[in-house]
Amino acid sequence: MAVKIKSQHGTIDITNAVIATVVGGSATEQYGVVGMASKKGFRDGLNQILKREDYTRGVVVRQEENGISVDVYIVVGYGTKISEVSKSVQSKVKYNLNAMLGIDANEVNVIVQGVRVLAD
């Protein structure tokens, strides 16, 4: 499934893998986020942190009539305030999707799959 953007010059198709890479990159650069987690934690292993090429396993993209809805699965660092980390991820993901791809995210849902001790 791809997001279609129509312009005067034609149609642009942006695949979910590209959207997931932008979302995953935006989420992991926020303070307090240890990494991305799989949306199917029990099947893929609860302790596994996803690598950049596997971000599609930790992001769910749903296309709606006037934008998209995104679910982001993350692991946060121990001692950080989960609500603040989640708000930071939400705002950064919304901003980067609009700035990089020209896509408006109607909602960004952050699901915390685990907590890990931050490395010094």
Side-chain angles (χ1 to χ4, degrees):
M1 184 174 180
V3 174
K4 296 183 185 297
I5 300 174
K6 293 184 181 176
S7 70
Q8 63 185 16
H9 302 291
T11 303
I12 301 169
D13 292 335
I14 302 173
T15 65
N16 285 353
V18 172
I19 296 170
T21 301
V22 170
V23 169
S26 301
T28 55
E29 65 188 30
Q30 297 305 304
Y31 176 78
V33 177
V34 175
M36 297 287 296
S38 175
K39 60 187 171 260
K40 298 176 182 167
F42 288 113
R43 189 187 75 175
D44 294 337
L46 288 173
N47 295 329
Q48 184 179 8
I49 300 287
L50 299 177
K51 295 183 175 112
R52 180 174 297 274
E53 54 273 359
D54 294 332
Y55 283 167
T56 55
R57 291 178 26 210
V59 176
V60 177
V61 179
R62 291 179 304 281
Q63 188 171 3
E64 299 174 350
E65 61 230 19
N66 57 350
I68 62 171
S69 175
V70 179
D71 295 342
V72 185
Y73 294 81
I74 62 171
V75 176
V76 297
Y78 180 79
T80 59
K81 192 169 181 181
I82 294 174
S83 62
E84 292 301 318
V85 172
S86 298
K87 286 178 190 175
S88 172
V89 168
Q90 285 176 324
S91 69
K92 189 66 171 183
V93 165
K94 282 185 115 172
Y95 174 79
N96 280 347
L97 282 175
N98 194 358
M100 292 181 187
L101 303 176
I103 297 173
D104 291 324
N106 296 335
E107 60 182 26
V108 177
N109 303 311
V110 177
I111 298 97
V112 178
Q113 290 282 72
V115 178
R116 288 244 180 120
V117 176
L118 291 172
D120 290 332

